[in-house]
Structures are given as C-alpha cells and as structure tokens.
Amino acid sequence: LQVREQFKRDLSYVSSVKSFEDNASVRSVLSYSVSATTAAKKATRFADTPFTVEVTRTIVLLPEEQMPSLPYDPRVGVFHFSKTSFANDNAWAKNVSYAQRWRLEAGKPIVFYVDPAFPESWKPFIKKGIEVWQKAFDAIGIENAIVARDFPEDDPQFDPDNLKYNCVRYSASTSPNAMGPMWYDPRSGEILAANVSVNHNVIRMIQLWRFVQTAAADPRVRGEILPQDVLDESLAYVVSHEIGHSLG
C-alpha cells in the first residue's frame, strides 16, 4: 500500500502534561485524514478516512555523569547505535558503533514493575519471565541484578508514565503481539529505562507459535486451546524475550 496522511491541526490537542524529577510526559490526541492506494494498480483502497491516535512523548534530562561508551563488537549479540566520526586528518568520515547497555551498580538492581491490570493467573509467569534473567547475571558475578515487583500501592510518587520506572504493562489489544522497547543516552549508549507492553491477544500468538513450531513433537499443543501449563511456560518465555530486548 501507498499511504498518505494529512494532519488535522484543528482536531488535535494536548490532553495532559505530567512533570517528574528528571523528565516530563506530554500526552497528545492527534487526528489525521488518511488515504491509501494499491501500489501496483494505483487502485484506491480508502480515501480521506478519519484516523485519531493518542501519543505520549517524554523529555528526559540526561545524566550529568556520562557513562563511558563501549565500542560495539559484532561477535557479541547486543543492540548498538552509530555515530559519524569526522577525523582531523585526511581520512574520510565513517560510522562508529557503540553498544547499548545498563549501568549496573552493586545493590541497585534493574527493577521491572508489573501492571496490576494483568489477569491474576498471568502475573506469576510475567514475573518469572523477568527474573529468569538473573541466571545470566549470576553467571558473570552480579547477583540479583534484575527483579520483578508489583506496582507499589504505598508510594504516592509512583507513576508508570514516569520514565525512571521500568514497567511491564498490560494492553487490552486484539493485536497478537508484545514489545520491549528501551530508551538510551545518545551520547554513551547507556540504557536509561525500558517498558515492556504485552497485548491480551499474545495468547493467540502463543497458540500459533507452539502449534507451528512444536506440534510435530509435542501432542499437548495440537488442540484448539493450550493446556494451562503450556500457556504458563510460553507466557514466561514471551516476557523473557521482550525483557531481553529491554536489556539490550
């Protein structure tokens, strides 16, 4: 499809602003008129269709103490970003890549807060998917480097829109997916925060994955509904996968 959109300024507005210690969150309602044609035959699929989204943008104050950059090694499977290096001599400009990583300090674990909106039966396995990563950190000598906690009920300062809190959020969406984005300091590659989103219909994705990938060897997954133990272990796997993205 070839999609074209026209922004509707008169139908768009800022719906809320939140200010925190080192970041601010601005939520906006943005409206568009969208048209689409089929690329091959230029046939119109839809024209001037109203489309509205709610968008949250965050502005964050970067750390005063910049973490040293770590050059990216392609033999190590981590996320990375690039900068353009302009040499002072006669060499040409080139891209230089650096790893994205957390600043790990003793006694300061990476905490992921679990949304109370998740179905109760999911929560133990959401937490399991987070804390399974402790084994990897233990192997390099960092104990209890990542922990799962419920949204705090006794902390009036807690707000999941505050970028300093890493959250695993429930989304009442029919899209069969989950996502694990993170935000990093563009100067150094230090990961500042992460937010995993798990859609309700991730259950549908799990059903398809387990059937297509394992049904030949696992008779448990050949029915229309997965057994509870298979669903539980698969949900923990999906969360651990997204947490892996969040860890870089």
Side-chain angles (χ1 to χ4, degrees):
L1 289 180
Q2 293 182 339
V3 180
R4 302 180 305 280
E5 72 284 344
Q6 183 178 5
F7 180 59
K8 299 294 185 180
R9 182 182 297 271
D10 57 332
L11 299 177
S12 304
Y13 57 91
V14 173
S15 58
S16 67
V17 177
K18 295 181 179 180
S19 179
F20 307 105
E21 181 180 357
D22 61 358
N23 66 91
S25 176
V26 181
R27 184 165 296 177
S28 306
V29 174
L30 306 178
S31 295
Y32 299 84
S33 176
V34 181
S35 301
T37 55
T38 303
K41 299 180 180 180
K42 302 296 182 182
T44 300
R45 295 290 298 273
F46 51 85
D48 299 324
T49 300
F51 184 76
T52 299
V53 293
E54 189 171 45
V55 177
T56 300
R57 299 180 178 91
T58 295
I59 303 170
V60 62
L61 186 66
L62 296 177
E64 290 188 15
E65 180 185 347
Q66 183 176 325
M67 191 172 75
S69 299
L70 179 68
Y72 166 65
D73 186 333
R75 296 172 298 178
V76 182
V78 298
F79 290 160
H80 58 280
F81 71 105
S82 298
K83 294 183 178 182
T84 302
S85 173
F86 294 90
N88 293 325
D89 52 23
N90 292 328
W92 56 78
K94 60 181 180 180
N95 287 338
V96 181
S97 296
Y98 298 94
Q100 296 169 341
R101 59 205 178 108
W102 288 83
R103 186 194 299 251
L104 288 173
E105 300 175 351
K108 295 183 178 180
I110 301 170
V111 179
F112 276 89
Y113 293 92
V114 177
D115 193 341
F118 279 112
E120 287 297 325
S121 62
W122 291 21
K123 291 178 183 178
F125 302 96
I126 299 289
K127 294 176 181 177
K128 181 179 179 180
I130 297 169
E131 294 188 343
V132 71
W133 281 94
Q134 287 182 357
K135 298 177 183 178
F137 287 105
D138 288 347
I140 59 173
I142 307 174
E143 296 183 354
N144 298 318
I146 181 169
V147 297
R149 295 177 183 165
D150 294 321
F151 276 20
E153 298 180 356
D154 56 353
D155 182 0
Q157 300 300 317
F158 177 82
D159 190 317
D161 286 336
N162 187 340
L163 199 65
K164 79 174 184 178
Y165 294 108
N166 311 303
C167 297
V168 180
R169 309 277 297 267
Y170 171 80
S171 174
S173 170
T174 58
S175 175
N177 203 4
M179 297 183 294
M182 47 78 169
W183 296 269
Y184 67 93
D185 186 336
R187 304 169 302 174
S188 64
E190 176 186 355
I191 298 174
L192 303 174
N195 196 331
V196 171
S197 177
V198 181
N199 295 353
H200 186 88
N201 260 16
V202 73
I203 302 301
R204 174 62 173 160
M205 181 179 73
I206 289 172
Q207 176 83 30
L208 294 173
W209 277 2
R210 290 302 302 254
F211 179 80
V212 172
Q213 298 176 21
T214 69
D218 189 351
R220 298 178 303 165
V221 304
R222 296 172 189 168
E224 184 176 353
I225 298 177
L226 288 178
Q228 190 63 46
D229 61 330
V230 177
L231 176 61
D232 294 342
E233 69 183 38
S234 301
L235 183 60
Y237 163 74
V238 169
V239 173
S240 69
H241 175 102
E242 300 305 339
I243 291 293
H245 289 318
S246 297
L247 294 174

